[in-house]
């Protein structure tokens, strides 16, 4: 479980996050949605420690993360997996070398055990015989699956995904959504996903937090969205869906 309590964050005098409090539940896919510039990416960066909140608490279980020193934060980060927008694989490294990267950085286990872990992770995301391929030789969907394999290499307790479906076709997007949800439930991970993809929200949004102009404007499940009378949320949801329909014409 991860919780943020009364988080504020500003840049150059501009308030970006205003008194946000929310609990992200273990074993569930927790989605953060909102239009561009709403503050959802800043919130994610505050949670993982890339930004320091001006005030408030970020808690991993009962530990106040933003009050820890660098060494103590490193211990928490060993328990974190990251899935970046676009996958962020190292172009000059093979699939195997990409997944080895966090294992080499944070562990001292023998190489044989590391390679065994690489193959376990690749099998989990349904990729075989690709260890020695380079990212340029992979499809967009395969790149995302390799990125997921790298994110779970350290058996994380916490998984952060930033726009995981960016650049993918609808079929691949559904595959990635379902894979993230399966891994979350299978390993009992606290997963937080930043997205503006309403298809993802309706597919896997077990808990959804809507950020509007730096504040938490709504939270609930994907099913609750269908029954919500929150005008700001409804405007966002229906505008997003309308935009997609217009693009398909």
């Amino acid at each position: 479980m991860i919780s943020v309590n009364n988080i504020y964050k500003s840049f150059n005098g501009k308030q970006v996050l205003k008194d946000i409090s929310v609990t992200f539940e273990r074993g569930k896919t927790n989605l953060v949605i909102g239009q561009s510039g709403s503050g959802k990416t800043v919130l994610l960066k505050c949670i993982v420690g890339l930004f320091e909140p001006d005030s408030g608490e970020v808690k991993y279980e009962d530990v106040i993360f933003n009050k820890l020193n660098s060494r103590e934060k490193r211990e928490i980060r060993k328990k974190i997996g990251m899935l970046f927008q676009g996958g962020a694989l190292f172009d000059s490294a093979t699939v195997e070398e990409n997944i080895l990267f966090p294992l080499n950085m944070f562990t001292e286990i023998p190489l044989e055990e590391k390679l065994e872990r690489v193959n376990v992770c690749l099998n989990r995301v349904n990729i075989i015989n690709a260890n020695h391929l380079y990212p340029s030789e992979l499809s967009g969907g395969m790149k995302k699956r390799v990125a997921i394999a790298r994110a779970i290499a350290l058996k994380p307790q916490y998984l952060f995904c930033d726009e995981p479906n960016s650049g993918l076709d609808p079929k691949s997007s559904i595959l990635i959504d379902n894979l993230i949800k399966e891994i979350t439930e299978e390993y009992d991970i606290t997963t937080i996903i930043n997205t503006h993809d309403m298809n993802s929200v309706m597919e896997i949004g077990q808990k959804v937090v809507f950020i509007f102009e730096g504040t938490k404007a709504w939270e609930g499940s994907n099913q609750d969205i269908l029954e919500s009378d929150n005008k700001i949320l409804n405007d966002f949801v229906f505008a997003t869906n309308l935009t997609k329909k217009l693009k398909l014409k």
Side-chain angles (χ1 to χ4, degrees):
M1 181 184 75
I2 297 173
S3 60
V4 297
N5 303 308
N6 310 113
I7 290 293
Y8 286 81
K9 182 64 181 176
S10 61
F11 296 95
N12 299 319
K14 181 182 178 181
Q15 197 81 58
V16 178
L17 299 180
K18 308 167 190 175
D19 197 23
I20 291 184
S21 296
V22 62
T23 296
F24 299 102
E25 300 173 31
R26 175 179 290 182
K28 290 186 177 182
T29 44
N30 301 273
L31 275 61
V32 180
I33 64 173
Q35 63 188 26
S36 297
S38 62
K40 62 183 188 294
T41 298
V42 174
L43 175 62
L44 190 72
K45 289 183 176 181
C46 284
I47 295 172
V48 299
L50 294 176
F51 290 153
E52 191 72 26
D54 296 335
S55 62
E57 295 179 343
V58 176
K59 297 179 71 174
Y60 285 72
E61 312 308 330
D62 294 323
V63 177
I64 303 176
F65 179 71
N66 56 310
K67 302 299 182 184
L68 301 179
N69 60 37
S70 297
R71 180 185 59 78
E72 292 167 332
K73 285 182 178 179
R74 180 180 171 84
E75 292 304 308
I76 298 289
R77 288 192 175 112
K78 290 180 182 179
K79 303 174 183 178
I80 292 175
M82 292 288 299
L83 178 60
F84 300 96
Q85 186 174 350
L89 299 177
F90 300 114
D91 292 335
S92 60
T94 65
V95 165
E96 185 174 281
E97 290 167 341
N98 266 282
I99 301 171
L100 278 172
F101 181 79
L103 294 167
N104 289 333
M105 175 174 287
F106 289 109
T107 76
E108 296 180 0
I109 61 177
L111 178 59
E112 182 179 349
E113 291 183 31
K114 291 177 183 176
L115 292 174
E116 181 178 345
R117 179 63 186 164
V118 167
N119 288 322
V120 166
C121 293
L122 284 173
N123 287 334
R124 182 60 192 82
V125 299
N126 302 313
I127 291 181
I128 58 173
N129 301 323
N131 293 52
H132 303 297
L133 296 180
Y134 287 88
S136 61
E137 301 175 278
L138 306 176
S139 67
M142 286 185 70
K143 287 179 183 178
K144 288 293 175 73
R145 283 188 281 155
V146 171
I148 292 173
R150 182 176 63 185
I152 64 173
L154 292 172
K155 303 179 182 178
Q157 294 180 27
Y158 315 100
L159 178 62
F160 295 90
C161 307
D162 186 23
E163 301 288 358
N165 292 333
S166 176
L168 296 182
D169 60 82
K171 184 177 180 179
S172 296
S173 294
I174 292 171
L175 186 153
I176 294 302
D177 281 341
N178 290 335
L179 184 56
I180 292 172
K181 184 173 183 288
E182 289 169 8
I183 288 172
T184 296
E185 294 175 347
E186 184 177 334
Y187 299 118
D188 198 28
I189 298 172
T190 301
T191 296
I192 302 177
I193 304 167
N194 260 8
T195 187
H196 61 265
D197 188 336
M198 289 307 302
N199 289 328
S200 296
V201 173
M202 301 315 298
E203 283 288 332
I204 65 169
Q206 293 171 302
K207 177 164 186 175
V208 182
V209 179
F210 175 51
I211 304 297
F212 178 75
E213 295 184 352
T215 65
K216 184 181 76 175
W218 182 90
E219 68 176 295
S221 71
N222 53 6
Q223 293 305 305
D224 294 332
I225 288 176
L226 301 176
E227 302 172 2
S228 173
D229 58 1
N230 184 305
K231 184 180 185 304
I232 299 174
L233 173 68
N234 289 338
D235 287 347
F236 172 76
V237 170
F238 293 121
T240 301
N241 287 340
L242 176 61
T243 299
K244 287 187 175 181
K245 288 177 182 177
L246 290 173
K247 286 182 178 178
L248 291 175
K249 291 183 178 181

